[in-house]
Structures are given as C-alpha cells and as structure tokens.
Amino acid sequence: MAAATGRVGGRVAGADEAVFRPVRAGNPFEETVERLLQAIKLGVVGPGERLPAERDLAARLNVSRETLREAIKALTDSGYVESRRGRYGGTFVNERLPKARRVSAKPFTREQGADVDDALVLRYALETGAAEAAASRDLTEAEIDHLRSCLAETSAAKLADYRRMDSRLHLAIAEVSGSPSLTSATADVRMRLNELLDAIPLLAVNLEHSNHQHEAIVAAILAGEPAAARQAMQEHLSGTAALLRAFLT
C-alpha cells in the first residue's frame, strides 16, 4: 500500500517536501526566495495560509535563520507575505497576491530562445510519466481526496486564481505518482512554464476545455488506467503547447 499524501497545517506533505528542500550553497538568499515564491505561486501555501515556522523552515531549506528572514523581508516588500505577531503569529501569504508581470509575447520568446521548447519537452516527459505512474499505484484515501479536491478547486477557480490552482492540480498528480524526485522536478518545470503562460492571455474557452481534460486525466488515474491517464495528459499538454507556440511565435 502506498504511503499517504496527508495534509499538514492546510498544506500537503508531498508538496512541502518538493518545494521546501535544501538550497544549494552558492546563492542561498536567491534560492531561498525562489523556494518561497515557488510554494506561493504553485499553490502549495495558499492565500491566507501560514508558512512553516521559521526554525523548521530554515532547517528544511538548510539556510541560516538570518538568510531566511532576509528572504521573507524581500517577499514582504514585494507584497507576497506579511508577518503577524502574537500567539497565532507567523508569516502568512497575503490574501491578494501581486499580479503576474505581463510581457510582450514575441520579444519574450526571442529573449528566452530555445528555453521555450526545452521547457515544453521537459514538461511533456515529466507530466505524462507522472500521470501514468499515478494511475499505476494503489492510491490511499488521502491521495484520492487530495486529487479530487485539487480538481474541484481548479474547476471552480476564478480567472485571477486559475493559474495557481491549475499549477496545484498538476503538482498534485505528480505527488501521487509516489516519487518525491518527480514531484520536485515537476514543481521546477511548472515555474518555468508559468513564465511562458504569463506572456499569453487567459482565454475562457481554453480554460473550459482544460477543465474537461483535467477531469479525464483524474478519472483515468482514479480508475487505475495508466495508458488512458498518459494519453489524457498527452492531449492536454499538446493543447497547451500549441496555444503557447501560437502566441509566442
């Protein structure tokens, strides 16, 4: 029986492990900021939720508490988090997050160069494999509930929240694949992908189509049909890639 992907303080343990992993020694401040932003932008810690306690978070990221405080200050100044004092204090994600920076699509593509195709190919390899692996496992009740909850939240998301909830659903699929390494890699590539997605408009018709595809992916995973889950994810990712290429080239 697979290990449960349980909730910890409103968050999911597998996602916590994916984003709050040790940073490399070279640029501890920059990578700490990156990890915290990843947790927020991918919906691992949602608006109004509290980040892990400072002592615990510094240990998990393998950075000094001074470095962590500097990173939190940077995010506070940027409007992502706020610190609260008192018995129930801590660092909380703001209810209203800064809007994603919109850039002109074609100049952005020239700036990114081959990174666009690289990110899309990597995403395809990771996420089709994650869907297939998830459907191959005997999921726990906690994992099933987690998938269904993320699917429902994405389907009901308002336009302003859709990117974050969509990211959270895709990360949840990686989580229930049973591979922490795959979850971490999926989180990283999703951050790269979101930079590309932020350069194109959100289209209501496309989001409706995406929601139907999400339902098909999750249904195949819950039914224990690896080939169908991989195929459904492949169709979904191909549609997103086609839309990106249409706007970015």
Side-chain angles (χ1 to χ4, degrees), residues 102 159 162-163 197 200-211 243-244 246-247:
R102 290 299 301 272
L159 203 63
Y162 191 85
R163 192 85 75 215
L197 290 171
I200 70 173
L202 279 167
L203 305 175
V205 173
N206 173 250
L207 300 189
E208 182 179 354
H209 188 211
S210 290
N211 285 335
L243 196 64
L244 277 169
F247 277 101

Side-chain angles (χ1 to χ4, degrees), residues 55-224:
R55 183 189 302 273
D56 176 51
L57 190 52
R60 293 169 69 178
L61 294 173
N62 194 32
V63 297
S64 69
R65 294 176 73 172
E66 180 181 357
T67 295
L68 178 61
R69 287 170 186 155
E70 290 173 349
I72 289 174
K73 183 181 185 303
L75 295 189
T76 301
D77 293 343
S78 301
Y80 285 96
V81 301
E82 64 175 359
S83 295
R84 302 177 191 170
R85 297 181 180 276
R87 182 177 179 184
Y88 300 104
T91 302
F92 291 79
V93 177
N94 287 333
E95 292 286 353
R96 298 186 66 178
L97 298 174
K99 291 184 178 180
R101 179 178 63 91
R102 290 299 301 272
V103 297
S104 180
K106 291 188 178 181
F108 178 75
T109 306
R110 289 195 296 270
E111 177 185 320
Q112 295 295 307
D115 191 58
V116 174
D117 283 334
D118 180 67
L120 291 174
V121 170
L122 180 57
R123 184 198 189 197
Y124 182 90
L126 291 173
E127 294 205 40
T128 55
E132 182 177 18
S136 301
R137 297 181 64 237
D138 183 13
L139 301 184
T140 66
E141 286 300 318
E143 290 172 326
I144 292 170
D145 289 345
H146 178 44
L147 266 185
R148 287 176 171 163
S149 174
C150 289
L151 176 64
E153 289 172 351
T154 303
S155 297
K158 296 178 181 179
L159 203 63
D161 298 325
Y162 191 85
R163 192 85 75 215
R164 177 170 51 83
M165 301 316 301
D166 176 52
S167 298
R168 191 67 195 89
L169 174 59
H170 281 265
L171 188 57
I173 292 169
E175 288 169 53
V176 301
S177 72
S179 169
S181 296
L182 180 54
T183 305
S184 295
T186 299
D188 289 342
V189 77
R190 183 69 201 207
M191 288 294 286
R192 290 174 61 188
L193 180 73
N194 282 354
E195 289 187 16
L196 303 175
L197 290 171
D198 286 341
I200 70 173
L202 279 167
L203 305 175
V205 173
N206 173 250
L207 300 189
E208 182 179 354
H209 188 211
S210 290
N211 285 335
H212 288 312
Q213 291 179 324
H214 288 155
E215 291 171 4
I217 295 165
V218 172
I221 291 172
L222 297 181

Side-chain angles (χ1 to χ4, degrees), residues 24-45:
R24 291 167 292 188
N27 301 289
F29 168 74
E30 291 82 356
E31 290 202 26
T32 299
V33 171
E34 180 184 19
R35 293 279 194 274
L36 297 179
L37 276 177
Q38 193 175 56
I40 295 168
K41 291 185 175 183
L42 297 184
V44 176
V45 187

